[in-house]
Amino acid sequence: MLTRKQLDLLRFIQQRLRESGVPPSFDEMKDALDLKSKSGIHRLITALEERGFLRRLPNRARAIEVIRLPESLGAVPPVPAAAGEPRRFTPSVVEGGKKGPARPTAQATDEQGRAISIPIMGRIAAGTPISAIQNQSSAITLSPDFLASGEHYALEVRGDSMVEAGILDGDLVVIRKQDTANTGDIIVALIDDEEATLKRLRKRGSSIALEAANPAYETRVLGPDRVQIQGRLVSLVRRY
């Protein structure tokens, strides 16, 4: 699963390669995506490499090769030409390497109320933010007793910033897909349309605080325009 900015960058690189045969510079990529620094481009390219969409060729300047494109790329609007045009992200934007977009399983059981299959959509950090939503890698079957109403997806936790909330490295968190939450909820938060993390939500006036459950990590206080809520934690699964 690609975030919108990852998708925008991949489209921009592919368009430039098709038009001129030469990949864009980091400055051109930064300007095209309206980012403030080239470090954001480095993170996006690394994420696309890890997902098998791009390859950087060693010992060559501006040597970027597009290996593959998501099959649903054509259904997504092109990179905005005007700087500052808003771009939004939801967990079901693009599912690379599969047919059609990823759709969390609808919350419906049979008449006997038997278990529901929930897609596992990748990894999320409970610590330093990493990309949250990737391709659906597998699924987990849960009793309806562990779910709320609505649509759900699961993520594998990486990191230790939520240990005092009982969330450990390697746990699976089950997330109800929603874009609002209450103070005190543990949420999937997307920061600056680039990175996501699992944290407890605290509202401080007009600001949003993302609070860890580990004293080794500082609380991050951000403007509401920098944070998008992707879902709320409803259950946790631990394998022994």
Side-chain angles (χ1 to χ4, degrees):
M1 181 71 67
L2 299 184
T3 68
R4 185 56 185 264
K5 288 202 177 219
Q6 290 165 0
L7 182 65
D8 284 350
L9 181 60
L10 184 62
R11 178 185 286 275
F12 180 66
I13 293 171
Q14 174 67 6
Q15 287 176 342
R16 184 61 63 86
L17 285 169
R18 186 170 58 245
E19 292 168 358
S20 66
V22 178
S25 68
F26 273 60
D27 283 323
E28 290 171 331
M29 289 186 267
K30 175 177 69 69
D31 292 341
L33 270 70
D34 193 29
L35 297 180
K36 295 181 179 179
S37 70
K38 288 187 284 188
S39 62
I41 295 297
H42 281 285
R43 289 195 299 269
L44 292 173
I45 287 179
T46 298
L48 289 168
E49 279 191 293
E50 291 174 349
R51 289 158 177 75
F53 291 98
L54 289 182
R55 176 166 56 210
R56 279 184 283 194
L57 304 179
N59 304 318
R60 291 174 56 186
R62 292 176 60 169
I64 299 175
E65 182 179 34
V66 176
I67 300 174
R68 66 186 178 95
L69 297 172
E71 291 186 15
S72 53
L73 183 62
V76 179
V79 178
E85 184 175 334
R87 292 179 290 270
R88 298 192 62 81
F89 167 84
T90 61
S92 58
V93 172
V94 171
E95 182 177 2
K98 294 182 183 291
K99 295 183 179 180
R103 288 185 293 208
T105 303
Q107 299 311 295
T109 60
D110 59 22
E111 294 180 357
Q112 288 73 41
R114 289 182 292 200
I116 299 171
S117 179
I118 302 298
I120 300 174
M121 300 302 295
R123 295 175 177 175
I124 188 167
T128 304
I130 58 174
S131 296
I133 311 300
Q134 303 177 23
N135 295 336
Q136 179 178 342
S137 57
S138 57
I140 185 169
T141 302
L142 296 175
S143 164
D145 293 338
F146 291 94
L147 305 172
S149 60
E151 297 183 4
H152 297 76
Y153 58 94
L155 296 166
E156 182 181 355
V157 173
R158 284 287 176 259
D160 62 355
S161 75
M162 298 300 290
V163 292
E164 292 189 3
I167 303 171
L168 309 181
D169 184 69
D171 285 349
L172 280 177
V173 289
V174 179
I175 306 297
R176 181 187 186 276
K177 184 179 176 182
Q178 59 188 71
D179 57 10
T180 61
N182 298 318
T183 289
D185 288 343
I186 296 176
I187 63 167
V188 173
L190 184 71
I191 302 169
D192 295 332
D193 277 342
E194 292 182 19
E195 297 172 321
T197 189
L198 186 74
K199 291 291 182 290
R200 192 177 300 279
L201 173 68
R202 300 290 184 192
K203 296 180 180 179
R204 297 183 178 179
S206 61
S207 298
I208 291 177
L210 301 178
E211 180 182 274
N214 182 335
Y217 294 84
E218 294 184 354
T219 297
R220 300 181 66 181
V221 180
L222 304 165
D225 59 324
R226 297 184 59 192
V227 179
Q228 296 177 38
I229 296 171
Q230 300 285 282
R232 175 177 61 86
L233 175 70
V234 295
S235 296
L236 181 142
V237 179
R238 181 168 299 151
R239 298 186 177 101
Y240 290 93

